[in-house]
Amino acid sequence: MADKHALVLNNFIAYRMANFAKMVSDSCAHIYEDEFGLTIPEWRILARLAENERMNAKDIGEITFMDKSKVSRAVKQMDDKGLLQKEKDPNDNRAYYLSLSEQGQNLYHQIVPKAREWEDSLINTLTAAEYRDFVNVVEKLEKRLEVMEKEGC
């Protein structure tokens, strides 16, 4: 007899979303890992710096949901590859502002068309209305999570 209070893991949204996110990330990762030699954290930092131009590691970690050590390791690897420019923060001698070097910008522009092509291949299974609904649902759930976090849930 089934326990009426049991949790069916495949119906639990946190489980489904985490698995879906991992599947999406792993599938897309082959582009920048296999073809360009970047790790997932390096790609996230590259993409963020392409969007924001100049950021410190702490802010990158917060925006990308990566812990400090993962960001630090990826920044070191990217710096070793010549993908970054570092500028000391005048208010904090321990911190640096990061931006993409010319090589980093060029790499980003090589990856983007392939990443968009991959995304189009995934998204093409949805109708325009389904895609719009999907984006709206994700945004609605993100806003609810923000409220729940403030409420301490």
Side-chain angles (χ1 to χ4, degrees):
M1 183 167 130
D3 179 356
K4 67 179 180 179
H5 300 290
L7 179 91
V8 178
L9 203 51
N10 281 337
N11 294 335
F12 189 57
I13 195 162
Y15 177 78
R16 293 291 300 266
M17 294 293 285
N19 285 344
F20 178 67
K22 180 157 178 22
M23 289 171 59
V24 168
S25 183
D26 289 350
S27 177
C28 184
H30 78 86
I31 295 167
Y32 42 86
E33 285 180 338
D34 297 346
E35 295 183 44
F36 298 97
L38 291 179
T39 63
I40 291 172
E42 289 173 312
W43 162 245
R44 288 179 183 169
I45 293 169
L46 187 82
R48 275 297 167 188
L49 289 175
E51 273 184 56
N52 300 96
E53 292 185 21
R54 184 175 179 260
M55 299 179 73
N56 64 38
K58 182 178 183 253
D59 292 338
I60 291 171
E62 289 174 5
I63 291 171
T64 60
F65 300 101
M66 292 190 295
D67 64 56
K68 184 179 175 179
S69 63
K70 191 173 279 194
V71 171
S72 179
R73 197 172 336 140
V75 165
K76 167 90 172 85
Q77 292 167 327
M78 293 174 74
D79 193 33
D80 291 347
K81 294 175 183 178
L83 303 176
L84 298 177
Q85 291 181 340
K86 295 165 88 176
E87 175 189 335
K88 247 193 201 301
D89 182 339
N91 301 319
D92 183 352
N93 285 333
R94 298 168 296 159
Y96 288 88
Y97 283 103
L98 305 170
S99 58
L100 294 179
S101 66
E102 187 175 334
Q103 183 178 343
Q105 291 172 13
N106 289 338
L107 181 61
Y108 174 77
H109 291 295
Q110 289 174 38
I111 295 172
V112 166
K114 293 175 182 263
R116 285 190 173 164
E117 183 180 314
W118 174 88
E119 183 183 49
D120 287 346
S121 179
L122 176 67
I123 298 301
N124 282 341
T125 194
L126 302 175
T127 65
E130 288 172 330
Y131 177 75
R132 185 185 59 247
D133 291 345
F134 174 74
V135 170
N136 288 337
V137 167
V138 169
E139 288 174 356
K140 191 172 187 176
L141 290 174
E142 286 172 340
K143 287 177 184 168
R144 177 63 184 142
L145 285 170
E146 290 171 7
V147 169
M148 289 171 65
E149 186 175 320
K150 287 178 185 170
E151 294 173 346
C153 296

